[in-house]
C-alpha cells in the first residue's frame, strides 16, 4: 500500500526556493498525523548539498537525481525523473509548489502518474486517513474541498500561504538514476528581469494600481512605496489592458491569484474579477477617491481620498516607521 | 498544418458565483457562459498559424449541449470544424478524465500542434494541456506568451518568477496559451454566418472508447470565508492625516509593516 508524504523540492540556480520549505513543513505535519515518513525529490545538477537543508524542515529522506540534463529545469526531464522515483517508492501523498515551475511540473506528473491533483491549495489536512485539500476556485469566488482517489494523492500548494516550521531530521540521501532519454525540450535562453523585482505571486506585500493611477507614469509613486515596503507592484486588468503595466503583474481572475499579507489597492474600483484574485490576502487596504467603489467592501482599511496625495504621504510615514 | 484547439465554456469573469445549499456545486442559473479567456488566445494563435502555413483548425470541447455556442464562436472566428464531446459521465470530470477524452478525440485525426488555455477560469486547475501531452506522448510548453514555428522546430517564451524562458521543442506538441500571446480577434458577421454551416462532430465517452474515470473530485463547495467589516480611515480630513493613521494601524493593529 502506498505510504509516505512526499514533496518535490524546487531549486533554482543551486538554491532551494522558499516554497520548498513550505512544502517540507506541511508534509511533516501531515506525515506526523499519519505516522509516516516525509520524502523529498530533488532534481538538478550539483545539488546534493541542498538535501541537508531540507532535513531542517522535517524531511526524512531525500531522493536526489543529479545530472547535467536536469539543469536548467525542463518539463520532460524533471517530470520523468520525479515520476520514476514516485513509481519506485509509492508514496501516498505528493505535494508540489504552485509556483511557475511547480504548476508546469505537477500537471505533467498527473499525466505520467495517471492520478488526480488539487491545484493551488490554501489548506491541506488529513481526514479519515486521506488527504483533504482546500482550494480557491473561480479565482476565489468559491472554495472546493478536494479528495484525490488516484495514487499518489497530489496537491500543489500556493506559495506564501503555508507556514515554515523547523523540525530537524537527519535527511538520509538516496541517489537515483533519473532514467532520462533524449530530451524533448530545452531551454535556449533565460532572460532575467531587473534584479530585485519581486513577482506578485510570491510577494508578502503587493502595492497594486488600477485605472485611477491614470497612466504608466502614475505608477511611479506606487513603485516608490513598494521599494520602501519590499513589495511587488501589481496591476488591475484595466491598467494592463491600457498598456500601462506588464501582463505578468496582473492580479485577478484572468491574471494571477494572490494571497499576500498585505495588499494595497490604489485607484482600483474593485471589479469582481479583480476582487476574486486578491480577496484571500490577509490584510487589504484600499485607496480610492470614490467612496462607493466596491473595493471598500473588501478592504480592512479604506482611505477615501486622492491616491496621488495619500500614497506619497503614506510612503513618508512608512519610511519614518521603518527608520 | 493540422491544428487542434481545446476550448472550454466557463462563466463570464463578471459572474457572481453562488454555491448550492448542499455544497454539491454552483448555481448555474443566470450565468452568462463564454469561451474560457485563455482558450481565446489558443484559437487566435491557431488561426494565425493556419493563415501562415495553411491547413485546418479543429476545435474540441468537452461539455453539455450549451457548449455548442462556444464551439460556434471559435468557428465564427475562423476555425474549420468542431468536435463536441457531450456525455453526462464527463460533466463533473476532473482534469485527468477530461484530458483522456480529449486525447481520444484528437488521436482520431492527424495533428501537428494542439493549443489549450493555460487554465480554465472556472476550476482553475491548469492541468489538462499537460496531461493531454503526456497521454499523447508529445512535449508541452505551458504559459506561452510567444510562439515561433520554423519547420518542425518550435520556439516559445514562457514567463517564470523573475525571468522569461525561451524554450525549444518540436512538433507535434501541446502549447498552453496565456495572456500576451496575441490579441484574439472578434468574430465577423460573415464569419458568424459561415460558422452555422461548418461541421461539428458529436461524440460521447463511449464512442471514443474512454472510461471517463476521474481521479479526483470536489467533495464539497463552500463560499469564500467572510471578511470582517473594514474601517474607513477618517483621522483628520487631510490626505496626510489619513496616511499617518493608516501607517499607524498597519504597524500597531495589523502588524504587517
Amino acid at each position: 500500500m502506498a505510504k509516505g508524504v512526499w514533496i518535490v523540492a524546487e531549486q533554482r540556480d543551486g538554491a532551494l526556493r522558499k516554497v520548498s520549505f513550505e512544502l517540507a513543513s506541511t508534509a511533516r505535519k501531515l506525515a506526523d498525523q499519519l505516522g509516516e515518513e516525509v520524502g523529498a525529490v530533488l532534481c538538478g545538477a550539483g545539488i546534493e548539498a541542498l538535501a541537508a537543508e531540507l532535513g531542517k524542515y522535517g524531511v526524512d529522506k531525500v531522493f536526489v537525481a543529479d545530472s547535467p540534463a536536469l539543469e536548467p529545469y525542463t518539463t520532460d526531464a524533471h517530470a520523468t525523473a520525479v515520476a520514476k522515483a514516485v513509481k519506485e517508492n509509492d508514496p501516498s501523498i505528493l505535494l508540489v509548489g504552485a509556483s511557475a515551475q511547480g504548476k508546469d511540473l505537477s500537471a505533467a506528473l498527473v499525466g505520467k502518474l495517471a492520478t488526480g491533483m488539487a491545484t493551488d491549495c490554501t489548506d491541506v489536512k488529513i481526514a479519515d486517513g486521506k488527504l483533504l485539500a482546500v482550494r480557491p476556485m473561480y479565482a476565489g469566488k468559491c472554495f472546493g474541498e478536494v479528495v484525490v482517489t488516484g495514487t499518489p494523492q497530489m496537491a500543489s500548494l500556493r506559495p506564501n500561504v503555508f507556514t515554515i516550521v523547523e523540525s530537524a531530521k537527519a535527511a538520509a540521501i538516496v541517489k537515483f538514476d533519473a532514467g532520462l532519454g533524449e530530451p524533448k525540450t530545452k531551454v535556449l535562453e533565460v532572460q532575467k528581469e531587473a534584479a530585485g523585482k519581486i513577482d506578485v505571486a510570491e510577494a508578502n506585500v503587493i502595492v497594486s494600481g488600477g485605472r485611477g493611477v491614470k497612466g504608466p507614469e502614475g505608477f511611479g509613486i506606487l513603485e516608490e512605496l513598494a521599494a520602501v515596503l519590499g513589495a511587488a507592484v501589481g496591476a488591475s486588468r484595466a491598467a494592463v489592458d491600457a498598456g500601462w503595466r506588464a501582463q505578468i503583474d496582473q492580479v485577478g481572475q484572468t491574471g494571477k491569484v494572490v494571497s499576500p499579507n498585505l495588499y494595497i489597492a490604489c485607484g482600483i474600483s474593485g471589479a469582481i474579477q479583480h476582487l476574486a484574485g486578491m480577496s484571500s490576502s490577509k490584510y487589504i487596504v484600499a485607496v480610492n477617491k470614490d467612496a462607493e467603489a466596491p473595493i471598500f467592501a473588501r478592504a480592512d482599511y479604506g482611505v477615501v481620498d486622492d491616491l496621488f496625495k495619500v500614497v506619497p504621504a503614506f510612503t513618508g510615514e512608512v519610511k519614518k516607521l521603518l527608520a | 498544418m493540422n491544428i487542434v484547439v481545446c476550448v472550454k465554456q466557463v462563466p463570464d469573469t463578471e459572474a457572481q458565483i453562488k454555491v448550492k445549499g448542499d455544497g454539491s456545486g454552483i448555481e448555474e442559473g443566470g450565468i452568462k457562459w463564454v469561451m474560457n479567456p485563455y482558450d481565446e488566445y489558443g484559437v487566435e494563435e491557431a488561426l494565425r498559424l493556419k493563415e501562415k502555413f495553411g491547413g485546418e483548425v479543429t476545435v474540441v470541447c468537452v461539455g453539455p449541449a450549451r457548449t455548442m455556442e462556444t464551439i460556434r464562436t471559435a468557428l465564427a472566428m475562423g476555425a474549420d470544424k468542431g468536435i463536441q464531446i457531450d456525455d453526462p459521465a464527463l460533466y463533473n470530470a476532473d482534469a485527468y478524465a477530461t484530458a483522456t477524452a480529449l486525447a481520444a478525440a484528437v488521436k482520431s485525426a492527424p495533428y501537428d500542434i494542439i493549443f489549450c488555455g493555460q487554465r480554465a477560469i472556472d476550476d482553475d486547475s491548469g492541468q489538462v494541456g499537460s496531461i493531454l501531452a503526456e497521454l499523447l506522448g508529445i512535449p508541452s510548453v505551458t504559459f506561452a506568451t510567444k510562439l515561433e514555428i520554423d519547420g518542425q522546430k518550435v520556439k516559445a517564451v514562457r514567463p517564470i518568477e523573475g525571468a522569461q524562458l525561451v524554450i525549444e521543442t518540436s512538433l507535434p506538441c501541446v502549447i498552453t496559451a496565456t495572456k500576451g500571446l496575441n490579441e484574439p480577434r472578434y468574430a465577423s458577421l460573415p464569419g458568424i454566418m459561415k460558422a452555422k454551416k461548418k461541421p461539428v462532430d458529436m461524440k460521447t465517452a463511449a464512442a471514443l472508447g474512454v472510461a471517463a474515470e476521474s481521479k479526483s473530485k470536489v467533495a464539497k463547495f463552500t463560499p469564500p470565508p467572510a471578511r470582517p467589516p473594514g474601517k474607513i480611515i477618517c483621522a483628520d480630513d487631510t490626505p496626510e492625516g489619513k496616511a499617518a493613521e493608516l501607517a499607524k494601524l498597519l504597524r500597531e493593529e495589523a502588524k504587517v509593516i
Side-chain angles (χ1 to χ4, degrees):
Chain A
M1 208 186 89
K3 217 174 168 69
V5 181
W6 274 31
I7 66 163
V8 179
E10 183 174 331
Q11 59 87 18
R12 202 193 288 174
D13 302 328
L16 286 167
R17 307 196 80 229
K18 185 168 155 250
V19 71
S20 301
F21 307 130
E22 296 166 5
L23 292 167
S25 307
T26 308
R28 182 74 261 163
K29 201 169 90 183
L30 299 181
D32 286 345
Q33 285 177 48
L34 292 166
E36 294 179 7
E37 286 202 328
V38 174
V41 192
L42 177 62
C43 301
I47 36 86
E48 206 182 304
L50 300 178
E53 220 180 316
L54 289 167
K56 228 164 89 182
Y57 301 94
V59 176
D60 296 294
K61 222 178 247 177
V62 185
F63 296 81
V64 179
D66 204 321
S67 157
L70 290 164
E71 194 63 49
Y73 169 86
T74 60
T75 317
D76 64 317
H78 278 238
T80 302
V82 176
K84 185 163 180 265
V86 168
K87 281 180 184 164
E88 285 170 2
N89 295 278
D90 198 21
S92 68
I93 294 174
L94 179 62
L95 306 178
V96 186
S99 56
Q101 180 175 312
K103 278 182 184 163
D104 180 72
L105 174 69
S106 59
L109 283 171
V110 171
K112 283 201 192 296
L113 299 169
T115 186
M117 174 170 73
T119 304
D120 206 18
C121 301
T122 51
D123 193 13
V124 285
K125 46 199 162 194
I126 300 295
D128 301 326
K130 300 278 284 176
L131 180 73
L132 185 69
V134 180
R135 56 181 302 262
M137 301 176 73
Y138 299 85
K141 291 176 187 174
C142 75
F143 278 63
E145 295 179 5
V146 179
V147 289
V148 179
T149 46
T151 308
Q153 305 164 75
M154 284 185 65
S156 66
L157 308 190
R158 182 176 292 184
N160 250 339
V161 171
F162 292 82
T163 318
I164 295 176
V165 183
E166 291 199 21
S167 54
K169 298 277 171 188
I173 294 175
V174 184
K175 288 190 205 175
F176 72 100
D177 172 31
L180 301 176
E182 196 57 31
K184 289 182 190 167
T185 53
K186 68 178 178 198
V187 176
L188 295 179
E189 199 186 332
V190 179
Q191 301 166 340
K192 293 204 171 156
E193 308 257 350
K197 183 172 189 284
I198 305 166
D199 194 277
V200 289
E202 294 194 313
N204 280 321
V205 181
I206 298 172
V207 180
S208 216
R211 210 187 298 274
V213 177
K214 290 183 181 157
E217 55 295 327
F219 274 85
I221 53 169
L222 273 53
E223 297 273 6
E224 282 165 31
L225 174 58
V228 173
L229 289 169
V233 177
S236 72
R237 180 164 73 184
V240 170
D241 286 352
W244 304 344
R245 300 297 288 184
Q247 275 123 10
I248 50 167
D249 300 330
Q250 185 182 325
V251 173
Q253 198 171 7
T254 51
K256 285 180 180 154
V257 180
V258 297
S259 317
N261 277 333
L262 176 60
Y263 188 89
I264 305 177
C266 307
I268 293 175
S269 63
I272 181 164
Q273 84 101 17
H274 186 80
L275 295 178
M278 46 65 91
S279 281
S280 57
S281 307
K282 202 158 165 212
Y283 285 95
I284 296 171
V285 171
V287 182
N288 202 303
K289 269 200 302 209
D290 175 12
E292 302 301 315
I295 189 85
F296 286 117
R298 299 292 175 99
D300 298 285
Y301 302 107
V303 178
V304 183
D305 211 322
D306 182 357
L307 75 93
F308 291 98
K309 291 185 180 139
V310 175
V311 172
F314 179 62
T315 306
E317 293 293 335
V318 175
K319 267 190 197 159
K320 271 193 254 166
L321 284 176
L322 298 180
Chain B
M1 185 175 272
N2 292 299
I3 309 160
V4 175
V5 192
C6 304
V7 297
K8 186 177 186 182
Q9 192 181 52
V10 298
D12 171 48
T13 55
E14 294 306 310
Q16 300 273 4
I17 299 298
K18 270 210 191 88
V19 173
K20 283 183 186 164
D22 62 359
S24 65
I26 63 153
E27 298 281 3
E28 294 198 353
I31 282 180
K32 184 183 163 209
W33 297 94
V34 297
M35 186 189 300
N36 177 40
Y38 292 111
D39 301 346
E40 290 183 11
Y41 302 113
V43 174
E44 177 61 36
E45 201 64 16
L47 297 175
R48 291 185 189 191
L49 290 181
K50 181 189 156 183
E51 283 155 9
K52 196 166 169 191
F53 299 109
E56 200 172 54
V57 176
T58 307
V59 277
V60 192
C61 184
V62 177
R66 62 171 152 74
T67 61
M68 188 57 84
E69 202 186 322
T70 291
I71 295 173
R72 294 283 174 210
T73 302
L75 297 176
M77 286 169 77
D80 300 288
K81 55 183 188 168
I83 302 174
Q84 186 185 37
I85 307 169
D86 179 0
D87 194 322
L90 286 166
Y91 287 176
N92 291 307
D94 75 342
Y96 189 82
T98 305
T100 307
L102 289 171
V106 168
K107 267 184 202 163
S108 64
Y111 58 86
D112 297 296
I113 189 163
I114 302 171
F115 290 97
C116 296
Q118 55 101 337
R119 72 167 198 267
I121 61 155
D122 53 356
D123 61 24
D124 287 330
S125 112
Q127 302 175 38
V128 167
S130 302
I131 301 172
L132 178 59
E134 293 295 335
L135 293 173
L136 296 170
I138 59 175
S140 61
V141 180
T142 58
F143 291 84
T145 54
K146 202 173 166 196
L147 187 70
E148 280 170 35
I149 294 181
D150 181 9
Q152 289 300 107
K153 262 196 191 156
V154 178
K155 213 161 98 176
V157 174
R158 154 175 168 60
I160 59 169
E161 300 89 359
Q164 311 270 338
L165 303 180
V166 184
I167 296 173
E168 187 183 77
T169 190
S170 55
L171 296 176
C173 65
V174 173
I175 301 290
T176 80
T178 196
K179 194 166 181 171
L181 185 60
N182 52 47
E183 205 49 63
R185 70 193 66 186
Y186 290 100
S188 64
L189 195 55
I192 293 166
M193 298 312 289
K194 268 195 239 162
K196 291 178 182 164
K197 288 184 191 138
K198 289 179 177 172
V200 178
D201 214 358
M202 311 288 287
K203 299 277 190 194
T204 60
L208 291 167
V210 295
E213 189 200 347
S214 285
K215 304 285 186 178
S216 66
K217 68 165 192 227
V218 183
K220 195 179 165 194
F221 289 79
T222 59
R227 291 192 76 91
K231 278 183 195 169
I232 294 292
I233 291 164
C234 312
D236 57 41
D237 215 22
T238 67
E240 294 74 21
K242 290 172 190 169
E245 178 70 8
L246 175 63
K248 192 167 160 247
L249 285 166
L250 290 177
R251 178 76 163 190
E252 290 167 12
E253 193 174 86
K255 298 190 168 62
V256 283
I257 57 172

